[in-house]
Amino acid sequence: MNRPARLAVGVVSTGRVGAVLGAALARAGHSVVAASGVSRESVQRAEDLLPGVPLLAPDDVVRAADLVLLALPDDALPGMVRGLAAADALRPGQIVVHTCGAHGVDVLAPAQEHGALPLALHPVMTFTGRAEDLERLATCCFGVTAVDSDEAAWSVGEALVMEMGAEPVRISDSDRPLYHTALAHGANHLVTLVAEAADLLRGTGVDNPDRMLGPLLSAALDNALRHGDRALTGPVARGDAGTVRAHLRVLAENAPDMLPAYRALAERTAERAEQSGLLRPDLAPDVFAALRPGTGEDRR
């Protein structure tokens, strides 16, 4: 695989992702020559992770760089790329990388029109913006996207990811929306699910729900990644419709705002359990009847 030459890196901006990836590229031997950061938190991250790197306006950062790292929110990225192109900050031969999961390389078309090499390198992990994130890169993957027909560009993207210590995984431009949906569905909704379980436990008087949930959820996640649907346990997979109805009643009484999410997830769980053969065919109708509004959730 081609190894990129030592590059002058410009980071726009020093949020949680940008500061960490800039530091990872510096650790790999590249030189971070400029960065942009406005908020107090971004300035502090730059001081901690990119010491001595000057903070400049985004267009000045880009002009100074061979490798431009655009670590911006999804919705802010298109406007930034158009603005940099309009300011003539981009030039032929630059590598322009963005870190958004939802976008492919099409969003970098204005940079490509200026002769830059467009890449999308999305780290599949959550960031704190602190030094420990650098070590976590060794355990994560990056979704790598380049122009489909440009094999050299794919190789450059993969080499950059490997230099940062992570594992590159090719994602075609057309597949980026589905790829990002999968990650957001798993990670973001998992946080909501865990937080709601902790809230319910606090309602029973449990002072440290994290201590109770930690081993259970860690084991459940490990089993799910190893075994898929065969890891399902609990009343839905067992066909215990009476217990499911009891859950719905207690949520209606104590946490009605959580009831729709519980019902939707339990029904999807029942469908997957039935398809995988865990939920017995003779018990499945009662479980679905308990979960669907107006069809039995209040039966005793």
Side-chain angles (χ1 to χ4, degrees), residues 23 78 102 129 159 161 176 187 197 201 203 217 238 262-263:
V161 169
R176 291 289 286 209
L201 286 173
L217 299 185
R238 290 193 302 266
Y262 179 95
R263 196 190 300 274

Side-chain angles (χ1 to χ4, degrees), residues 116-203:
L117 176 71
L119 292 172
L121 305 181
H122 174 243
V124 187
M125 68 175 274
T126 58
F127 286 79
T128 66
R130 296 192 291 267
E132 58 261 31
D133 289 342
L134 287 168
E135 306 313 315
R136 293 184 181 134
L137 289 177
T139 66
C140 84
C141 297
F142 275 59
V144 176
T145 301
V147 174
D148 285 342
S149 60
D150 192 344
E151 184 61 30
W154 286 98
S155 295
V156 169
E158 290 170 332
L160 287 169
V161 169
M162 293 176 69
E163 285 192 328
M164 288 187 282
E167 178 183 348
V169 178
R170 292 192 178 195
I171 306 294
S172 70
D173 201 71
S174 61
D175 285 336
R176 291 289 286 209
L178 184 59
Y179 153 83
H180 192 246
T181 299
L183 299 178
H185 183 41
N188 302 154
H189 299 164
L190 177 63
V191 172
T192 301
L193 184 62
V194 173
E196 293 208 334
D199 288 345
L200 291 175
L201 286 173
R202 289 189 191 95

Side-chain angles (χ1 to χ4, degrees), residues 41-154:
E41 293 81 5
S42 293
V43 171
Q44 185 61 56
R45 274 190 290 267
E47 291 177 356
D48 292 342
L49 292 172
L50 304 171
V53 173
L55 294 180
L56 307 175
D59 55 337
D60 290 329
V61 172
V62 172
R63 289 188 180 97
D66 303 316
L67 170 60
V68 177
L69 183 65
L70 301 174
L72 299 163
D74 295 347
D75 290 347
L77 179 63
M80 175 63 75
V81 177
R82 289 194 300 269
L84 293 171
D88 287 326
L90 299 158
R91 66 176 187 274
Q94 280 180 315
I95 302 171
V96 179
V97 173
H98 78 73
T99 62
C100 294
H103 293 293
V105 291
D106 284 353
V107 72
L108 297 177
Q112 190 175 12
E113 290 168 2
H114 278 67
L117 176 71
L119 292 172
L121 305 181
H122 174 243
V124 187
M125 68 175 274
T126 58
F127 286 79
T128 66
R130 296 192 291 267
E132 58 261 31
D133 289 342
L134 287 168
E135 306 313 315
R136 293 184 181 134
L137 289 177
T139 66
C140 84
C141 297
F142 275 59
V144 176
T145 301
V147 174
D148 285 342
S149 60
D150 192 344
E151 184 61 30
W154 286 98

